[in-house]
Amino acid sequence: MPGLNYKPANYELAKSINEDFVRNIPKPDYLITAAMLDSEDNLVNMLYPNDIVKFMISVEKDSYIAILCIDANGDKNWLPVAYNFIRAGEVRTFPDLKDTVFKVVDGVYGAEQILIYASTSEKGLPEQTSTGKYAKNDIQKITRGITALKQSSAENYETSVFKITYTVME
């Protein structure tokens, strides 16, 4: 049919603006890349009781890391890390403690979070207390939409946080 066009009249202009936008997006200079894997090295976001997981973590700057698990009830648990320093570009697998596994054992079902903290100084990591609780609504507010963030301090270190969300099924 004459006169039909699948492209809008301003297609070339829209394409040009999009290319300029993508080219000029500032790239964060400090990022964490992480993934949760099952015992067979598959990416997972649903777990069941007795499932065993591990985390692959990489950073773009030499960093110290800490791994926090927040269960569906808001209880927090710092996962043990033997050697928490990672060189830039290195890919590390956790747990890194001999004879240690990260296993779903508590019988709490629902949406849970893993927060992986990385900082160019150990001072930039949160205090790893063994007890504590977040209110369920606070967990969502704290972690909604977070993938990585950068903080600079007066002491000149940077801290980033990476979130992994998963669900524990019955």
Side-chain angles (χ1 to χ4, degrees):
M1 276 186 152
L4 291 179
N5 187 346
Y6 73 95
K7 294 182 183 177
N10 63 349
Y11 174 78
E12 291 302 321
L13 177 60
K15 183 178 170 186
S16 172
I17 290 170
N18 184 55
E19 288 170 357
D20 286 344
F21 177 75
V22 170
R23 186 176 25 256
N24 292 316
I25 291 175
K27 304 285 188 259
D29 58 355
Y30 186 52
L31 293 176
I32 305 167
T33 303
M36 183 168 64
L37 307 172
D38 66 13
S39 57
E40 297 175 3
D41 293 335
N42 298 307
L43 287 171
V44 289
N45 62 5
M46 272 198 309
L47 300 174
Y48 296 88
N50 296 314
D51 279 355
I52 294 173
V53 297
K54 59 187 169 187
F55 300 97
M56 292 183 69
I57 301 172
S58 180
V59 293
E60 290 192 9
K61 290 186 179 181
D62 291 354
S63 300
Y64 297 89
I65 65 135
I67 305 171
L68 174 65
C69 176
I70 305 171
D71 74 15
N73 287 334
D75 292 323
K76 68 179 185 178
N77 180 33
W78 291 98
L79 299 179
V81 175
Y83 183 62
N84 74 336
F85 183 76
I86 301 178
R87 296 227 173 262
E90 176 183 11
V91 177
R92 295 265 312 279
T93 302
F94 296 90
D96 61 346
L97 293 160
K98 186 178 179 177
D99 301 325
T100 299
V101 295
F102 296 158
K103 187 175 186 177
V104 179
V105 294
D106 62 7
V108 176
Y109 306 110
E112 300 190 351
Q113 315 284 327
I114 296 289
L115 299 180
I116 300 170
Y117 295 88
S119 179
T120 54
S121 168
E122 284 191 287
K123 294 177 185 179
L125 295 176
E127 184 179 338
Q128 296 182 37
T129 57
S130 58
T131 59
K133 189 171 184 93
Y134 290 99
K136 288 183 183 182
N137 292 339
D138 288 344
I139 297 169
Q140 295 306 318
K141 289 177 188 171
I142 291 167
T143 61
R144 178 168 283 138
I146 295 175
T147 54
L149 63 93
K150 174 184 165 184
Q151 296 178 331
S152 294
S153 73
E155 296 179 20
N156 203 26
Y157 59 81
E158 297 174 45
T159 300
S160 289
V161 181
F162 187 92
K163 177 186 76 166
I164 296 174
T165 301
Y166 63 98
T167 303
V168 175
M169 307 295 288
E170 289 187 50

